[in-house]
Amino acid sequence: MRTDIAIIGAGPAGLLLSHLLAAEGIESIVVESRAREYVAARIRAGILEDSSVRLLRSVGLGGGIDARGFEHRGIYLQWPWERHHIDFVSLAGRSVWVYGQTQLQADLVAAGEAAGRQVIYEASGTALHDLDSDHPSVTFTDAAGLPQRIEAAAVAGCDGKFGPSRAAMPDEGRETWERDYPYSWLGILADVAPSTDELIYAWHPDGFALHSMRSATVSRLYLQVPSGTDIADWPDDRIWDALATRLGHGQDGWQLTPGPIAEKSVLPFRSFVQSPMRHGRLFLAGDSAHTVPPTGAKGLNLAIADVALLAPALARLVRDKDSALADAYSATALRRVWRSEYFSWWMTSMLHISGDPFDAQLQLAQLRWVTASTAGAAGLAENYAGLPIGF
Ligand code: RFL
Ligand code: PHB
């Protein structure tokens, strides 16, 4: 097969890149290791930044967000007996949207199918070749067991944290940074109306808790748990009891309504960055180049911001033989990546219990300042609602 851009990975980064390239008149083929149904069912992110929503709307992908998304003015930050609203709109002039990654993924698949764009699911043994040349290729075995090769002008590695693209960068000149955290999140999806109008981020001596949502009838909630937690140790009643305690059930009359749990899982925390995000004709975007702990709701938004930069860069490279944007891609993208790494680490450190009582007092001092000072609240608001793409 021949195309302009071979894209590895049909997550949000890969499918949105394919969409943005098509808008520039550039062809692509997407190769995905999983089955279409598996990719469609993955439950992940839930918050879109202002700049993500603007970008999606500008390329005809805003219909689902406008019909089924929920615009939020801000979030609640709380600790025992105190709950404070941080109003992003008045502090930073921007809102965020509750719109599940699952829904966005469905919108991207539908748009790709309607336009006849090619996505090859269930590919195995994906490998990248000749990245130092201007005719790189991607090989894989298709679902029928046949060997395949895609020749392209460039390869976009949108294959997440476990894909082959990250590792295809030569060791020489590559730098990585990482931070592991001693805790994870236990996340549930519950068929019950949210007990809050906007997200609640709760500091509690037992550990952090987050009340998020997907719709008027579906809630998404998380609990800080130690790394290595076995989900079998958390029957549904224990989860709801811990959520009620940490989220402050009964405080000032607030009630957490439990309901049937449709899905539950434990997700480990990690910060990771790889630089540069480009080698020759291979360009990394999204989780393949960087991951953040989910506390700042940045992972999906970073993937969107990366491909918003990458699509015009690849279009200029392929169509106009002009490499200026492609050459600038890694440095430009990494500025925002590190800003988001910082914010995600900061939110995580402020809200998760480390077990050290001195840390706990520092966290409470910081939470009081962030909620009482306009400068403190505005810093959180500006970062959470998201900086302009290209910042
Ligand atoms: P993805 O979504 O992981 O997609 C990568 C795709 O590549 C495929 N792949 C391969 N394809 C071909 N050949 C191979 N050898 C391959 N190996 C892998 C994979 O199957 C997959 O389909 O990466 P992408 O597109 O960069 O998107 C990143 C986001 O998915 C991720 O950052 C967010 O989900 C992170 N995240 C959140 N981000 C936010 O912005 N806001 C949030 O509220 C938020 N909450 C979350 C999250 C992530 C979570 N989990 C489970 C990781 C909540 C959770 C629970
Ligand atoms: C979610 O709804 O899944 C979600 C929301 C906010 C976060 C992380 C996850 O910070």
Side-chain angles (χ1 to χ4, degrees):
M1 287 173 264
R2 246 215 90 68
T3 189
D4 293 324
I5 310 293
I7 300 174
I8 309 178
L15 290 186
L16 180 58
L17 178 63
S18 165
H19 188 98
L20 297 176
L21 287 170
E24 301 257 9
I26 306 295
E27 264 184 30
S28 61
I29 298 176
V30 181
V31 180
E32 165 62 49
S33 56
R34 300 285 194 165
R36 178 197 305 251
E37 300 71 32
Y38 179 93
V39 177
R42 272 191 307 224
I43 296 156
R44 288 186 163 183
I47 297 289
L48 291 174
E49 293 175 358
D50 178 72
S51 56
S52 300
V53 173
R54 279 173 202 269
L55 173 83
L56 293 166
R57 282 191 179 137
S58 75
V59 292
L61 290 167
I65 298 169
D66 291 331
R68 292 180 298 282
F70 294 87
E71 187 172 13
H72 282 191
R73 288 186 67 94
I75 57 166
Y76 296 99
L77 270 186
Q78 79 167 47
W79 57 97
W81 301 102
E82 299 221 26
R83 179 176 293 173
H84 299 269
H85 189 248
I86 309 279
D87 191 303
F88 303 159
V89 177
S90 58
L91 289 159
R94 297 192 288 279
S95 58
V96 295
W97 287 76
V98 169
Y99 194 64
Q101 184 169 329
T102 318
Q103 294 164 292
L104 177 61
Q105 180 81 26
D107 296 347
L108 288 164
V109 169
E113 282 177 356
R117 286 193 291 275
Q118 199 176 353
V119 182
I120 301 168
Y121 290 94
E122 298 181 67
S124 56
T126 315
L128 298 79
H129 310 275
D130 302 320
L131 301 170
D132 286 310
S133 75
D134 59 6
H135 50 83
S137 62
V138 173
T139 55
F140 59 94
T141 303
D142 70 16
L146 298 173
Q148 301 286 356
R149 173 182 294 270
I150 303 174
E151 294 177 349
V155 177
C158 302
D159 43 4
K161 52 183 147 181
F162 304 116
S165 298
R166 184 187 278 186
M169 309 281 270
D171 283 339
E172 201 178 328
R174 168 168 73 165
E175 274 190 275
T176 59
W177 297 265
E178 53 194 286
R179 170 138 316 166
D180 284 313
Y181 302 83
Y183 32 76
S184 302
W185 275 7
L186 189 163
I188 64 164
L189 196 68
D191 291 320
V192 60
S195 300
T196 178
D197 57 340
E198 298 195 337
L199 273 60
I200 306 171
Y201 286 77
W203 182 97
H204 191 277
D206 292 355
F208 169 73
L210 170 62
H211 190 330
S212 181
M213 61 196 74
R214 286 292 178 274
S215 71
T217 54
V218 177
S219 298
R220 178 86 168 136
L221 299 109
Y222 298 96
L223 286 168
Q224 175 188 349
V225 291
S227 298
T229 290
D230 183 353
I231 195 81
D233 294 336
W234 284 84
D236 294 3
D237 286 352
R238 183 178 178 201
I239 293 174
W240 284 114
D241 286 349
L243 286 167
T245 304
R246 298 186 195 184
L247 289 167
H249 177 84
Q251 290 175 22
D252 299 324
W254 183 78
Q255 308 243 316
L256 175 69
T257 310
I261 294 179
E263 193 264 353
K264 57 179 169 180
S265 54
V266 173
L267 47 133
F269 266 44
R270 191 148 184 250
S271 299
F272 174 89
V273 180
Q274 171 160 317
S275 170
M277 287 169 61
R278 176 217 183 156
H279 170 75
R281 288 291 175 108
L282 168 63
F283 297 81
L284 301 183
D287 277 16
S288 72
H290 41 73
T291 53
V292 286
T295 325
K298 286 287 167 251
L300 171 60
N301 293 294
L302 268 185
I304 292 173
D306 282 354
V307 298
L309 293 174
L310 185 54
L314 291 175
R316 285 263 287 272
L317 184 70
V318 171
R319 192 182 50 216
D320 310 329
K321 313 286 176 245
D322 172 356
S323 69
L325 290 180
D327 292 343
Y329 168 68
S330 177
T332 311
L334 282 165
R335 278 210 304 271
R336 185 192 193 83
V337 168
W338 276 113
R339 186 63 237 150
S340 297
E341 289 288 346
Y342 181 88
F343 179 66
S344 305
W345 165 84
W346 179 76
M347 284 284 278
T348 301
S349 317
M350 179 168 69
L351 288 162
H352 289 73
I353 297 301
S354 72
D356 179 335
F358 188 82
D359 283 350
Q361 294 306 319
L362 294 180
Q363 291 172 325
L364 288 168
Q366 183 72 349
L367 282 164
R368 285 189 199 104
W369 175 70
V370 166
T371 51
S373 144
T374 306
L380 191 154
E382 204 171 277
N383 283 278
Y384 194 110
L387 298 155
I389 285 171
F391 171 85

